Amino acid sequence: MLISEFLHNITNKALEDLLKAKGIDTNNSPDFIIEKPKNSDFGDFATSLPLQLSKLLSSNPMEIAENLVSLLPDCKEIEKLSIAKPGFINFSLSKNWINNEIKMILVSEKDYGRPLEAKNFKIQVEFVSVNPTGRLHLGHMRGAVIGSTIANLLENQRFNVQREYYVNDAGNQMQIFGNSIIERIKEANGADFNVSEDHYKGEDIIEIAKELAPNYKNYNLENVEDSTFNEIKNKAKDKCILKIKDDLNLIKIKHDSWFYESSLIDSNYFSDTLQNLDDLNLTYKKDDALWIKTEELGDERDNVLVKSSDKKPTYFATDIAYHRNKFEVRNFEKVIDLWGADHHGHIKRMEIILEKLGIDSKKLIVLLNQIVSLKSSSGISKFSKREGTSILLKDLVGEIGSDACRFSFISRSPESQMEIDIDIFKKQSSENPVFYIQYAHARLSSILRSSEYFKIKFDDADINLLISPDEINLIKKLIEYPELLNRITENLNVHELSTYSLELAQIIHKFYEKNRVIDEDLANIEQTKSRLLLVKASKIILSNLLSLMGMESPEKM
RNA sequence: GCGCCCGUAGCUCAGCUGGACAGAGCAUCUCGCUUCGAACGAGAGGGUCGGGGGUUCGAAUCCUCCCGGGCGUGCCA
């Protein structure tokens, strides 16, 4: 159990006792939190419960605080309880308990902060899911990095996690993609070509077309037959997906599952879903199209499921089938989708349809990240795949590296709007805070190498010798780690990982500057050993963090 | 117009379900390497938390109204 949970439990017990003594129904007891105060003078944890109770008990918060404290049990975890104006209770943890945590870090290593047993709970994290109509660019990185970090974290917390990429290969964009490829093949083969407004214009498209061109030298591609069109489109799609996989690989992302939109149609699961909606009396025909009655379910308007023009399903229609499949066929107990903010209007109608299909929509969690836009001296421009004006992921990673890229996106909360000035972005990458964190790791590694060189064994070191402010600060920061992981598992705010990493690195650097670890004077060997223990524990936590964020933990830099 | 999101230091951003003096990095200005890595540390300056009301013992955080920006409001995805 987390220490904050433990403190909450005993405080809650004291609260109930207090209310009973006053003859108040315990059902009225307020929710309260145990939190870490910003100022460490106020102990390791604190609660403002007495302030919250003031009205209910109609008495002075300071008195309530005293009463509550008197009702709290003596326990080995707590060193000191105190009250502070205007009505806080402050908890200081016992040295003994803290020392045990440090030992736990050293024993558990990668498993520190993880639950002991695997959770039998299937979670799918679906992220990236960019149309296979070109390579990934800067605008796609945000969701990719956040999604992969969430998946890493949930896996770390022993959920049964599947990382999925949804391949939108059945829609209109694929037709445009196919047409674009064919024009570029014609171009590559020296024939007349016609790249218009509606075509994808990026270098990546030209590259794919060039690879395919030799196979179609003797084809007349002017009025191409459906079969040939589909053949070319599919070959180009496959090549494109391989390139997307290469791109993802560059930023340490590997999906477990690639789910094709086309498979929903081929397997008749899509038509089955339509039938299902029809059975629920949710669809109707109008203007030669098939509509769904989302307005009466609370959406802004009704939506089209099957288009009149080509009798093909809309994105929304196949997405209903896709999400139904996640829950009904594959039995995920929770699904986390990472979408760009331009999809936010899509959430509500998806949820109401899921409910109609008998699926608890709370099982679907959609995380929106705000769209990334490019800023330059000429103003703000958008990433446009169609226009090919984006900055390719592979180029950016090649220039500034995966770790700096990942950190830049992890460290911002998803709802913050990013207007990236690419020159500043690149410049900041060279001095990216990730290097500050990694440098701390490299320094710790260096110390441990020295200890091996001097053959200093410190398994039996005495943690009680760690008493300087820098050492205490470091220890306190380390034992926050399980609380951090627990919190992010709940709120999915992975940018807290980056904030914590920076704080930890800072404390490590301060500790390093002021406390020489390896003292060559043998009279101080016990202190050397205890500090080595702390160094090792710090390195474990730092390395775990970097690993969760998908970054390297360098032994040397 | 309507809906959702955002506005915190010169710049990029944190600030965890309201909590105890508004933070970090970069940039600017000082200072510190004969000892484990100076990709570091110590210190200084810099903010009416977009603005006005309100709720509360307490508001950057909640409510409301303005201002400014993003996204959505397709038989695109």
Side-chain angles (χ1 to χ4, degrees), chain A residues 21 29 105 126 148 169 196 281 342 358 371 388 427 429 487 509:
Chain A
S29 64
I105 295 173
E126 184 220 319
S148 63
D169 63 339
S196 72
N281 194 25
D342 51 340
I371 299 297
K427 182 173 167 293
S429 298
R487 190 165 66 236
H509 285 306

Side-chain angles (χ1 to χ4, degrees), chain A residues 162-397:
Chain A
Q162 186 197 56
R163 297 162 173 83
E164 179 153 291
Y165 189 119
Y166 180 49
V167 183
N168 280 114
D169 63 339
N172 196 30
Q173 296 301 322
M174 288 310 290
Q175 295 301 115
I176 297 172
F177 172 69
N179 289 330
S180 310
I181 291 286
I182 284 177
E183 292 307 320
R184 291 300 187 184
I185 288 176
K186 283 154 65 180
E187 178 185 29
N189 286 337
D192 288 341
F193 65 100
N194 172 32
V195 177
S196 72
E197 278 298 298
D198 308 332
H199 290 116
Y200 287 103
K201 298 187 189 63
E203 287 295 319
D204 41 359
I205 299 291
I206 297 172
E207 187 186 330
I208 291 170
K210 274 184 183 161
E211 291 173 24
L212 290 172
N215 301 329
Y216 295 95
K217 269 205 177 327
N218 303 319
Y219 280 65
N220 175 11
L221 297 176
E222 276 313 318
N223 286 308
V224 65
E225 286 172 18
D226 280 356
S227 60
T228 311
F229 177 85
N230 285 330
E231 179 189 305
I232 292 175
K233 185 187 79 180
N234 286 330
K235 279 186 181 171
K237 175 180 83 180
D238 292 343
K239 281 188 178 294
C240 191
I241 289 170
L242 286 176
K243 288 178 195 297
I244 288 174
K245 285 183 181 175
D246 286 345
D247 287 343
L248 290 171
N249 193 35
L250 287 175
I251 52 172
K252 310 282 162 27
I253 293 174
K254 195 171 184 301
H255 287 84
D256 307 305
S257 160
W258 291 70
F259 192 99
Y260 286 71
E261 181 185 12
S262 54
S263 75
L264 291 167
I265 293 162
D266 297 344
S267 67
N268 291 326
Y269 191 78
F270 173 71
S271 48
D272 181 65
T273 302
L274 278 192
Q275 185 60 51
N276 212 306
L277 293 170
D278 189 47
D279 293 344
L280 290 164
N281 194 25
L282 289 172
T283 64
Y284 64 93
K285 288 213 160 155
K286 191 182 94 182
D287 300 335
D288 220 15
L290 185 69
W291 293 72
I292 184 160
K293 302 175 189 171
T294 34
E295 186 172 352
E296 67 180 40
L297 300 173
D299 198 17
E300 289 170 11
R301 57 178 177 80
D302 287 352
N303 289 274
V304 170
L305 293 179
V306 179
K307 295 181 275 185
S308 60
S309 55
D310 55 8
K311 303 293 170 211
K312 287 190 173 162
T314 59
Y315 164 77
F316 181 47
T318 46
D319 222 27
I320 292 172
Y322 174 48
H323 281 83
R324 176 173 172 243
N325 173 281
K326 294 185 188 207
F327 294 106
E328 295 285 277
V329 177
R330 295 188 281 165
N331 299 314
F332 285 106
E333 288 159 274
K334 187 190 270 191
V335 169
I336 299 170
D337 286 358
L338 281 107
W339 294 352
D342 51 340
H343 285 62
H344 78 79
H346 192 59
I347 298 175
K348 186 171 189 180
R349 48 181 180 267
M350 179 58 71
E351 287 176 348
I352 58 186
I353 294 301
L354 287 180
E355 289 289 342
K356 278 289 166 188
L357 290 169
I359 296 161
D360 180 1
S361 66
K362 288 191 190 68
K363 289 181 176 177
L364 173 67
I365 295 174
V366 179
L367 291 181
L368 294 180
N369 60 266
Q370 294 297 316
I371 299 297
V372 177
S373 57
L374 260 185
K375 190 168 64 176
S376 67
S377 48
S378 57
I380 292 174
S381 61
K382 289 193 189 138
F383 292 98
S384 167
K385 236 164 97 170
R386 192 75 69 80
E387 294 305 317
T389 54
S390 33
I391 293 163
L392 293 182
L393 181 149
K394 72 179 172 71
D395 295 336
L396 190 66
V397 173

Side-chain angles (χ1 to χ4, degrees), chain A residues 50-51 53-55 57-67 86-87:
Chain A
L51 287 162
L53 286 172
S54 179
K55 200 164 266 178
L57 302 181
S58 56
S59 61
N60 182 322
M62 290 298 279
E63 280 174 33
I64 298 170
E66 277 182 47
N67 286 338

Side-chain angles (χ1 to χ4, degrees), chain A residues 95-131:
Chain A
K95 187 76 185 146
N96 192 33
W97 183 85
I98 291 170
N99 288 353
N100 265 333
E101 280 297 297
I102 298 297
K103 285 178 197 158
M104 281 299 293
I105 295 173
L106 295 161
V107 171
S108 313
E109 297 193 0
K110 287 195 183 331
D111 289 331
Y112 182 67
R114 303 182 71 193
L116 290 174
E117 290 180 17
K119 296 188 175 76
N120 187 19
F121 194 90
K122 280 179 73 178
I123 301 184
Q124 182 192 68
V125 183
E126 184 220 319
F127 60 111
V128 191
S129 299
V130 175
N131 289 348

Side-chain angles (χ1 to χ4, degrees), chain A residues 531-546:
Chain A
R531 286 183 175 163
L532 280 169
L533 210 64
L534 183 57
V535 165
K536 191 174 177 192
S538 304
K539 188 188 164 187
I540 289 168
I541 298 294
L542 211 46
S543 171
N544 290 353
L545 281 164
L546 286 164

